[in-house]
């Protein structure tokens, strides 16, 4: 096998979905490199995955089935055989069905891998059993709701090169999807495009923009309404397009005319002239694009933010032209969810909202309560809102939990049985991106290490033990993946080339018609005592992935709390000292970084750090209260905290402070 090059792709929750080449020597992957001919990747991988092989060969990787031997959360396990593990899972699941009914079983997965097989294969088991179904989103729920209502929310990102004004609204592109920056650069070269960042925090991307507008966190919908006010009152709006597209334009007009620049400026913490200047530039640039991020959706008012941006793109008439409109996400024409075989359901079982896991697992009055849980492609003990209650639920002795994982994550520590999953270098999969229009194939570069198995193989082994028989439970991984492909795409060609373009039609101004739904009025966001805590993406982790990897942890450094100089001075805090970040939900430690990257009254901790090892256990979602937008988006960024010096105020043990606050 010396000298082989295997075409594959990155599996992670990123809009770039890069294609890569795995370089194999003597049966071992020695490096991965970006596919040079891929139109998005262009030979470059990000710093998160440019040594992905170290994940596969990590010394602490899980390679054998494990059975819990100690208390839940302790991480105490013993190795068992696959047969023993599968038999125990089947026996427990069948027992739960007999006593409580199939809806007492819950699948839980998200986008730890974007692979069609890794995400969808196991759902066939739960559909076949008649278990509870799953819906909702941990992030991006507000824009997803717009898409379901018929709003256009994306197009081929390569069109951004044709834009003359680019507004990067709440997206740190150079950290979260840096391959999209090439289209921004091209727009500058072609048209001298002006690039504006709207973000409450200074970051890698804002530094590269022509202008940075640092609005107060949570005021995005107010700011967007102020821009619309100027466009309407100065006759800059494309009313023909707006009225033909939005069936409730008059209701929208009435709402935004309540938000003149002087009022908006005071709420958003910016100058009136900034609002007027950007509104005029946005109206006159043909075309202009709003490149929307996820973070502003993660508030109580995230739905208003999404609707306000959709309305702005419509008001400017920018959907008329290539390169114009609103870009939140884009996917190729495909049907990933077909691979889950929803037709296997015997009837219409209930559906549980994954974003409300803290409620679901702690509600013993549910009928029936969840008694059996299988988790894959997700680390909810770290990434879910109100993570403390999530852990309380995972710690229930009457909850039988199975986790498929690569490492001993915070979630895996609560499992009754852990099954070792293959990494992207060890299985076949098909990845449907959410940032461009290319479908990517991942060919296995090596055989699975240890006893690791793909999720498709786990499905095939577990199905007959659960009494599930038939072709749907016998499909190979390749057959499962092929289910997601649209007609006209050759599966064999895709495997060979590694990717293919599968473009959905661009939103058509002549046929697009939808409601803006501004019946829920724009409001001034509430501000609670203390600091608003922001939890931006870190540069070297992807959500909680890689937070255990040595190279990534070293590059990311110690968990830091960013605080404005004025706030630190007022409280007598010093740079680098250990501080306690706390509220009535929990408390965590971090080292203080005094900086002007955030405004007064705002603090930030980047990255989803794990609870182990304890010296870096800055688990930010322990602090987040159980709050959601009207469309079900967890409001991570509506978290308010106090910050105190550990040295001067103590105690340094977060649990002690939590008890102190509770009492």
């Amino acid at each position: 096998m010396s000298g082989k090059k295997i075409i594959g792709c990155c599996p992670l929750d990123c809009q770039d979905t890069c294609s890569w080449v795995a370089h194999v020597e003597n049966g071992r992957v020695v490096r991965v490199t970006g596919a040079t001919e891929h139109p998005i990747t262009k030979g470059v991988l990000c710093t998160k995955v440019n040594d992905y092989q170290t994940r596969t060969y990590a010394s602490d990787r899980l390679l054998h089935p494990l059975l819990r031997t100690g208390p839940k959360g302790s991480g105490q396990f013993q190795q068992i055989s696959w047969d023993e593990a599968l038999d125990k899972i089947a026996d427990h699941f069948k027992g739960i069905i007999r006593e409580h009914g199939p809806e007492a079983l819950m699948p839980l997965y998200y986008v730890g891998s974007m692979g069609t097989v890794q995400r969808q294969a196991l759902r066939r088991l739960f559909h076949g059993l008649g278990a509870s179904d799953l819906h909702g989103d941990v992030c991006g729920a507000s824009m997803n709701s717009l898409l379901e209502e018929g709003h256009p929310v994306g197009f081929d990102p390569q069109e951004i090169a044709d834009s003359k004004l680019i507004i990067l609204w709440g997206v740190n592109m150079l950290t979260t999807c840096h391959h999209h920056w090439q289209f921004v650069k091209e727009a500058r070269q072609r048209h001298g495009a002006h690039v504006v960042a709207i973000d409450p925090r200074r970051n890698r991307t804002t530094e590269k923009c022509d202008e940075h507008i640092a609005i107060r966190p949570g005021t995005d919908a107010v700011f967007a309404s102020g821009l619309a006010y100027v466009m309407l009152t100065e006759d800059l709006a494309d009313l023909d397009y707006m009225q033909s597209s939005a069936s409730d334009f008059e209701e929208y007009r009435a709402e935004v005319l309540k938000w003149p620049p002087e009022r908006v400026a005071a709420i958003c913490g910016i100058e009136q002239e900034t609002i007027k200047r950007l509104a005029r530039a946005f109206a006159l640039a043909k075309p202009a694009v709003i490149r929307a991020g996820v973070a502003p959706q993660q508030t109580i008012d995230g739905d208003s933010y999404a609707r306000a941006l959709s309305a702005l793109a419509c008001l400017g008439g920018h959907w008329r032209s290539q390169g114009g409109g609103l870009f939140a996400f884009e996917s190729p024409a495909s049907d990933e969810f077909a691979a889950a075989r929803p037709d296997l359901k015997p009837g219409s079982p209930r559906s549980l909202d994954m974003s409300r896991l803290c409620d679901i697992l702690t509600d013993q009055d549910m009928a029936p309560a969840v008694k059996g849980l299988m988790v894959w492609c997700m680390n909810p003990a770290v990434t879910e809102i109100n993570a403390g209650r999530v852990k309380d639920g995972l710690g229930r002795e009457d909850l039988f939990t199975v986790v498929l994982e690569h490492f001993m994550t915070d979630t895996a520590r609560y499992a009754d049985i852990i099954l070792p999953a293959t990494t992207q270098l060890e299985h076949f999969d098909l990845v449907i991106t959410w940032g461009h229009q290319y479908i990517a194939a991942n060919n296995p570069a090596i055989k699975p290490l240890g006893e690791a198995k793909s999720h498709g193989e786990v499905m095939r082994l577990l199905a007959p033990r659960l009494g599930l028989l038939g072709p749907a439970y016998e499909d190979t991984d390749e057959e499962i993946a092929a289910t997601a492909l649209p007609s006209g795409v050759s599966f064999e060609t895709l495997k060979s080339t590694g990717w293919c373009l599968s473009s959905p039609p661009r939103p058509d101004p002549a046929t697009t018609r939808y409601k803006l739904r501004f019946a829920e009025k724009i409001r001034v966001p509430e501000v609670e005592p203390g600091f608003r805590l922001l939890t931006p993406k870190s540069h070297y982790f992807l959500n909680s992935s890689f937070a255990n990897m040595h190279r990534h942890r070293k590059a990311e450094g110690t968990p830091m709390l960013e605080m404005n100089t004025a706030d630190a001075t007022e409280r007598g805090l010093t740079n680098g000292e250990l501080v306690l970040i706390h509220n009535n939900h929990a408390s965590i430690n971090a080292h203080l970084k005094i900086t002007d990257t955030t405004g007064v009254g705002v603090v930030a901790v980047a990255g989803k750090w794990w609870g182990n090892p304890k010296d870096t256990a800055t688990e930010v979602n322990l602090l987040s209260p159980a709050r959601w937008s009207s469309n079900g988006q967890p409001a991570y960024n509506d978290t308010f905290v106090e910050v105190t010096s550990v040295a001067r105020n103590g105690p340094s043990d977060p649990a002690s402070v939590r008890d102190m606050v509770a009492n």
Side-chain angles (χ1 to χ4, degrees):
M1 293 182 65
S2 179
K4 283 191 176 182
K5 296 180 181 180
I6 308 297
I7 188 70
C9 64
C10 177
L12 299 179
D13 177 21
C14 169
Q15 291 190 292
D16 289 357
T17 305
C18 292
S19 284
W20 67 32
V21 177
H23 299 258
V24 182
E25 296 180 5
N26 299 317
R28 185 180 177 90
V29 177
V30 295
R31 66 184 184 281
V32 292
T33 57
T36 57
E37 296 180 1
H38 190 279
I40 307 296
T41 307
K42 294 184 178 178
V44 179
L45 297 177
C46 75
T47 190
K48 300 174 182 67
V49 302
N50 60 15
D51 62 348
Y52 185 87
Q53 73 280 2
T54 63
R55 183 176 182 85
T56 297
Y57 296 114
S59 60
D60 58 342
R61 183 169 163 210
L62 303 176
L63 295 176
H64 306 282
L66 300 175
L67 174 69
R68 180 170 64 88
T69 58
K72 288 198 172 188
S74 67
Q76 297 173 27
F77 293 86
Q78 69 178 29
Q79 182 177 327
I80 58 175
S81 70
W82 266 99
D83 282 338
E84 186 178 358
L86 294 169
D87 287 343
K88 285 182 179 295
I89 294 169
D91 288 345
H92 275 85
F93 278 12
K94 288 188 291 187
I96 289 168
I97 292 172
R98 283 194 302 270
E99 185 173 354
H100 304 284
E103 288 183 330
L105 297 177
M106 179 184 180
L108 183 63
Y109 77 103
Y110 202 50
V111 286
S113 167
M114 292 285 291
T116 299
V117 178
Q118 294 300 97
R119 273 167 49 86
Q120 303 299 341
L122 290 164
R123 293 194 71 192
R124 296 186 179 196
L125 298 176
F126 291 89
H127 286 155
L129 292 170
S132 292
D133 209 343
L134 197 67
H135 70 275
D137 287 284
V138 174
C139 64
S142 299
M143 284 295 178
N144 278 327
S145 294
L146 288 193
L147 181 65
E148 292 169 2
E149 293 176 21
H151 289 236
V153 295
F155 50 84
D156 184 347
Q158 296 173 99
E159 288 185 21
I160 291 175
D162 294 314
S163 304
K164 295 181 180 177
L165 172 66
I166 301 170
I167 300 178
L168 304 180
W169 203 314
V171 55
N172 184 3
M173 190 177 284
L174 289 174
T175 281
T176 61
C177 52
H178 77 94
H179 288 83
H180 282 215
W181 184 257
Q182 63 187 301
F183 309 127
V184 175
K185 291 173 64 176
E186 193 171 345
R188 279 173 160 169
Q189 293 165 359
R190 286 189 192 178
H191 310 294
H194 187 68
V195 184
V196 180
I198 300 174
D199 201 301
R201 179 175 172 267
R202 193 168 72 247
N203 54 47
R204 279 179 167 82
T205 302
T206 64
E207 296 286 356
K208 297 291 184 181
C209 292
D210 299 304
E211 182 178 0
H212 175 206
I213 302 174
I215 64 174
R216 290 193 178 108
T219 64
D220 304 86
V222 172
F223 185 45
S225 298
L227 298 177
Y229 178 100
V230 175
M231 293 170 68
L232 287 169
T233 57
E234 295 188 6
D235 295 325
L236 297 172
D238 187 336
L239 295 182
D240 288 342
Y241 181 73
M242 187 65 165
Q243 290 171 332
S244 66
S245 297
S247 59
D248 55 350
F249 168 62
E250 292 305 326
E251 292 92 330
Y252 169 73
R253 186 209 297 264
E255 179 59 29
V256 298
L257 289 180
K258 300 174 184 176
W259 298 95
E262 57 271 20
R263 183 186 181 195
V264 171
I267 294 167
C268 296
I270 56 176
E271 299 294 326
Q272 291 185 45
E273 190 55 38
T274 299
I275 301 167
K276 296 175 183 177
R277 176 169 44 77
L278 182 59
R280 293 163 185 158
F282 180 72
L284 297 174
K286 300 297 181 184
V289 62
I290 300 174
R291 179 64 167 82
V294 171
Q297 298 178 56
Q298 297 180 340
T299 70
I300 295 292
D301 299 307
D303 302 337
S304 297
Y305 156 78
R307 292 187 184 282
L309 265 56
S310 180
L312 272 182
C314 189
L315 193 64
H318 294 298
W319 284 110
R320 294 182 186 273
S321 305
Q322 179 168 300
L326 169 65
F327 187 104
F329 52 80
E330 176 72 344
S331 293
S334 58
D335 187 4
E336 178 197 336
F337 295 103
R341 292 295 302 271
D343 59 296
L344 297 171
K345 298 178 190 176
S348 301
R350 70 179 179 185
S351 185
L352 300 174
D353 185 346
M354 70 171 70
S355 75
R356 295 179 180 267
L357 190 65
C358 61
D359 291 340
I360 291 168
L361 295 186
T362 56
D363 184 359
Q364 288 291 293
D365 294 327
M366 287 181 65
V370 172
K371 298 291 185 177
L373 178 69
M374 181 178 283
V375 184
W376 66 94
C377 298
M378 196 176 187
N379 186 11
V382 171
T383 60
E384 283 267 5
I385 201 163
N386 206 341
R389 276 180 58 212
V390 171
K391 290 185 178 183
D392 289 342
L394 290 171
R396 283 171 36 209
E397 285 298 329
D398 66 330
L399 177 67
F400 178 74
T401 302
V402 180
V403 174
L404 291 85
E405 254 301 348
H406 301 149
F407 298 98
M408 188 62 72
T409 64
D410 286 32
T411 303
R413 297 174 73 87
Y414 286 88
D416 292 284
I417 291 180
I418 302 174
L419 300 179
T422 45
T423 68
Q424 192 77 340
L425 296 175
E426 300 163 299
H427 57 236
F428 179 84
D429 217 330
L430 201 69
V431 178
I432 310 298
T433 183
W434 62 286
H436 55 74
Q437 298 178 347
Y438 289 88
I439 300 173
N442 183 75
N443 294 293
I446 56 173
K447 293 180 180 179
L449 301 186
E451 295 184 282
K453 298 185 185 299
S454 75
H455 294 178
E457 179 66 5
V458 175
M459 183 272 293
R460 289 186 290 274
L461 291 171
L462 194 52
R465 288 173 163 87
L466 292 168
L468 300 172
L469 305 174
Y473 307 107
E474 299 167 358
D475 282 349
T476 66
D477 286 7
E478 291 191 2
E479 288 170 333
I480 294 169
T483 310
L485 291 177
S487 61
V489 173
S490 167
F491 183 71
E492 292 304 320
T493 300
L494 177 57
K495 283 176 58 181
S496 175
T497 59
W499 64 85
C500 71
L501 184 65
S502 181
S503 299
R506 195 181 196 280
D508 184 356
T511 60
T512 301
R513 190 165 178 81
Y514 45 85
K515 285 191 175 183
L516 299 172
R517 297 186 188 276
F518 270 74
E520 295 182 8
K521 307 302 184 186
I522 301 297
R523 69 184 192 106
V524 179
E526 296 178 5
V527 178
E528 298 179 10
F531 295 96
R532 183 187 289 267
L533 173 66
L534 302 183
T535 55
K537 305 283 189 182
S538 59
H539 195 67
Y540 297 96
F541 305 163
L542 205 160
N543 299 322
S544 72
S545 294
F546 303 109
N548 66 312
M549 301 297 294
H550 175 73
R551 195 266 296 174
H552 298 73
R553 287 171 60 85
K554 182 178 179 181
E556 193 65 35
T558 302
M560 304 294 290
L561 176 78
E562 298 176 9
M563 179 182 284
N564 186 276
T565 303
D567 286 329
T569 300
E570 180 180 338
R571 286 157 179 78
L573 300 174
T574 59
N575 194 54
E577 75 167 301
L578 189 67
V579 294
L580 201 68
I581 312 161
H582 56 95
N583 57 20
N584 61 355
H585 296 282
S587 57
I588 58 176
N589 287 336
H591 289 274
L592 185 66
K593 181 179 180 180
I594 298 176
T595 174
D596 292 326
T597 56
T598 60
V600 172
V602 180
V603 292
V605 176
K608 297 295 186 291
W609 297 83
W610 294 9
N612 285 282
K614 294 300 182 183
D615 62 332
T616 57
T618 306
E619 302 169 82
V620 290
N621 285 339
L622 292 175
L623 299 162
S624 58
R627 294 174 178 167
W628 296 266
S629 72
S630 58
N631 283 330
Q633 170 59 50
Y636 297 103
N637 289 325
D638 278 328
T639 299
F640 291 85
V641 299
E642 298 290 346
V643 179
T644 55
S645 169
V646 167
R648 285 186 283 112
N649 298 294
S652 61
D653 176 20
S656 300
V657 174
R658 191 159 55 245
D659 293 340
M660 178 181 68
V661 172
N663 295 325

